[in-house]
Structure formats: C-alpha cells, structure tokens
Amino acid sequence: MATGSGLSSSWCLASLHESFEQAPIYVAVMTYLGFGIVTLFGYFRDFLRAVGLEKCHLARERDEQKDFVPLYQDFENFYTRNLYMRVRDNWNRPICSLPGPVFDLMERVSDDYNWTFRLTGRTLHNVINVGSYNYLGFAENNADFLKTVADKTRQYGVGVCSTRQEIGNLGIHEELEQLVAKFLGVESSMTFGMGFATNSMNIPAIVGKGCLILSDELNHTSLILGARLSGATIRVFKHNNMHSLEKMLSEAVCSGQPRTHRPWKKILIMVEGIYSMEGSVVRLPEIIALKKKYKAYLYLDEAHSIGAVGASGRGVTELFDVNPADVDVMMGTFTKSFGAAGGYIAGKKKLVDYLRSHSHSAVYASAMSPPVTEQIIRAMKCIMGKDGSTEGERVRQLAENTRYFRARLKEMGFIIYGNDDSPVVPILLYMPGKVVAFAREMLERRIGVVVVGFPATPITEARARFCLSAAHTRAMLDQVLHHLNEVGDALCLKFSRKKYSSCCFLYVCKTL
C-alpha cells in the first residue's frame, strides 16, 4: 500500500477479499494442448478445402484479385472458420421477451455445423438470466413503475431528432443532469445518448498531443479507442498494480516527452471502477494518493460500479469513502444499473462547461431519447429514496446476492476472480472444449450464461461471466447454484485447491 494515502477501513476490508487463484499447472497444459489440437485439425480442414474435398463457406479472395492487397486477414479467417464456427451457437441467441431476471429464448438449430441457423418455432420459457448487466433489476415492465416513462413518451415522443445545442435540449435533460450531479456529490454533470461514445468521444476533448495517458491494461475498448483518437501518448500499466503505475508516473515526471524532454502538458490516469471481465475493483485510494503526489489527473469509468457498489449505490468513491472531488473526471453509463441507455461525465462545473462546447458527442450526436431520460430519472430517484421507496433497498439486495453467490461458488470448489463486493463473477473454465460444453449444458437446464474465451481473454483463462441482479430471488440463485454444482462435477470444472468453510463465509456475508 502507498504510504500517506489515508486508507479507510472499508478499503482494508475490500482489499482483503479479492482473489485471483491460479489453476494447477496441468490445467494450463491441457488448455494449450486443446488449442493445439483444434489448430492442427483446422489446418487439415483448410488443406481439404484447398484440394476441393470440403466446401469453404467464408468470403475469400477471387483468383483474379490475388495480386491486389488482400481484403481478408488470413489468421482472422482461420480462427473464424475453424474455431469460432464450431461454437457459434453459444452467442447471439435470439431472445423474445424482456431480458429481466428470466427471459424466453427462441430455439434454433443448425444443419451445416453453425454456418447458418434456422428457428424451430419452439420457445424456451423462463430461462434464468445470469448474463445481463441488470444489476438493480430496473430492466422491468411493471406498468405501475413505468407510468412516468409512459407519460413522458406521450408528452415528448420517442425521439428528439436534434442535438442538444440545436433544438433538442429538453427540460428533462437538464433535470437529469442536476439529479446526476446531486447523486454523485459533484458540481455538475452532462449526459450523452450512448455509453460507448461517452468515453470514445470525450477523451479526445480532454487530452491531445503532448499529453500522456496511463491506462490500466484491462481497460474497456471504449477507453482504449478514446485514448487512441486523442493523439496523446499512451502507456499501459499492469492491472491494479500500484508499483507499475508509480514507476511510470515518476519516469514521466522526470523524463518528460520523448526526444524533447519537455514536461507533459497533462498526465491522465485512466481506470475503471469494476473491471467487467475480472470482477476486480479499482484500488482507488492508492491511485488518488499517487495522482496527488505526481500532480496528475484521474479519469474514472464507473460503467459497472455506479449503482452496483457502495452503501447507497454511489459507486467506488462511496465504497472506499473518498471525496468525489478527488476524481477529476467521473464517467459512468446508464446501460447497466439503471436499465436504460447512455452515459454521463461529471465533475467540476468548469470541466463540464468545457465539454459542452468541445465534445464531439455533445455537439453532433442526437439528444437522449425522452423515455430513456425519464427511465434514468425514475431509477435514480428510486435509488435515492426520492420516490417514496426505501432508500438503497435494491442496492442492499444486490450486495446480499453477490456475497451469497460468491461464497457458495468458492465453497463448491470453483475458481472465481474478483472482489467479494463485485456483482461481476467470472468462473474460470480454462479449456476450450469445456467452455462450449458448459454453455450448452447450462442452457439445457434453463440457465442463460455468457461464456468468454480467447482473444477476449488470455488464452489460458477462458471463463463464464455471471452478472448478478437485485431482481434475482434466493430461490433463483439456489437453482443456478444447484445446476452449477452438477455441471461442475460432470465436466470436472472445480479446479480450486483452497478449502472454504460455509460457516466462515456466511459470517463474512453478514458482517461486510
């Protein structure tokens, strides 16, 4: 820990319960062996296609174009046709209902090994949804809850058809921005219609040439794209590693820009609140201490943490009891905890006023849809207790579900990543064959899961990513855990060598 960071007791508690257990060595060996066998068979099938014994379904260069610059990358095509196509049925499944805690799925089959699909006309009902980012359960269709959203739709319509700077600035947009600023405890905020663009279009307005961005190696693609578009110099530090970050900061301050050695115009540290693939939580107090020590700026992406952590859902600043004013740029999205769409940038009024005239997303993008705006207002008022409901009730329910689910998984013997406060729960599966079998087995048992593998994860760390919700009942979680236990035994997925006591974990769940 960095000295002089003034760490609170809540940070100490959170940091004690974050694990990244390594699998036994034989698991890594079997994983590489599995990819090797699939790759060898892929080359063999490519040979069969080359000699005309097997049909090639993918787009390819015509013979008369062989002397031109290729349109298709050979490795990308190889991976798609020989690895991805074998398991494509596990993604893009057509859902035909509200994606709440349960959903309905249209059954589809393939007659040509996943190159094409056809619907059977059968629907799989009441599949438990443990893949959506519906953290607080606001993806709902309760007519009583959505009355204000319906009223705003009748009043304003569905679309604005203009930018905020022209004639698309509605009263409810300004109401939302004032509410967001109050919720976060900052001076001002501004909202955008798309969460991804909130990062990719605003970072270039904040930094540019002559600036340095220090980015966590596991940052989201939207942060990476925004950094690249900015033209600033980008350096990547190891995930949540304060020694790596401080080394880069001290080097940047001492050496300055390459060749000229002039001081950097700005040094911007970019991190996330909760990392969506790891389930880990940013070490915010230590980063703030380093930021102050080296006079850098901090950009915090709370896409997965706002609403999901903290006693009243105010994100990692509340979780660690730090002053929101210590974070220079607070970014978040409404696509997860709020059951809507869009994002926000919040902080000092001077920053927000600058972005209103310099952000491409603010100047050129259409204003947020009125019913979406009202849905966010509705959800935020509910979290804050301004609608007559119990303040933080959904936040507390999510925290209970998170700790219970994580504790039971560890007790069963699964290797899971991340912080015990994180509703993102990755279960490590490792081997490519087991990833596919796991997703299919769980769907057979009416459990909808998301599985992720290489290249989205390191080659030896394929996983299933569970996202918990306040809308999940204890009965739903117990049903998921029951099937996970059975599938884990059947597929030999319980790789953990640690022994956990259920009594110990239930005590931790009650006291944290």
Side-chain angles (χ1 to χ4, degrees), residues 276-395:
S276 59
M277 281 296 173
E278 307 300 308
S280 55
V281 175
V282 65
R283 298 170 68 172
L284 187 61
E286 295 177 86
I287 290 177
I288 288 175
L290 290 175
K291 176 204 94 141
K292 290 179 177 179
K293 179 179 178 181
Y294 292 96
K295 294 181 171 52
Y297 296 93
L298 177 58
Y299 187 107
L300 175 63
D301 179 341
E302 288 215 81
H304 288 269
S305 55
I306 192 66
V309 294
S312 57
R314 285 168 169 82
V316 289
T317 56
E318 183 179 47
L319 179 67
F320 297 127
D321 193 25
V322 302
N323 187 350
D326 289 335
V327 180
D328 301 286
V329 186
M330 299 183 74
M331 177 271 173
T333 62
F334 303 118
T335 56
K336 299 168 179 67
S337 293
F338 301 93
Y344 66 82
I345 294 283
K348 295 190 181 301
K349 187 176 184 302
K350 187 176 180 180
L351 166 74
V352 174
D353 289 345
Y354 172 82
L355 288 176
R356 288 191 194 281
S357 57
H358 288 80
S359 165
H360 284 79
S361 191
V363 176
Y364 298 110
S366 178
M368 186 181 287
S369 170
V372 171
T373 307
E374 179 58 31
Q375 160 66 11
I376 301 164
I377 293 173
R378 175 186 83 88
M380 197 165 286
K381 284 182 177 178
C382 179
I383 297 171
M384 298 169 72
K386 288 182 173 290
D387 63 344
S389 62
T390 305
E391 183 178 0
E393 182 179 347
R394 296 194 189 215
V395 179

Side-chain angles (χ1 to χ4, degrees), residues 95-161:
I95 293 170
C96 56
S97 71
L98 172 83
V102 296
F103 59 76
D104 298 336
L105 199 64
M106 300 170 70
E107 186 181 63
R108 60 180 183 176
V109 295
S110 176
D111 302 314
D112 53 4
Y113 303 101
N114 288 347
W115 289 99
T116 60
F117 294 97
R118 61 178 175 83
L119 298 175
T120 65
R122 180 170 169 251
T123 301
L124 304 179
H125 294 283
N126 295 322
V127 178
I128 298 178
N129 178 10
V130 284
S132 294
Y133 308 129
N134 185 24
Y135 296 132
L136 295 181
F138 283 114
E140 56 195 356
N141 56 5
N142 187 307
D144 294 332
F145 294 163
L146 297 174
K147 184 179 183 304
T148 59
V149 178
D151 291 342
K152 285 296 186 289
T153 305
R154 295 188 189 97
Q155 179 181 354
Y156 290 107
V158 174
V160 178
C161 303

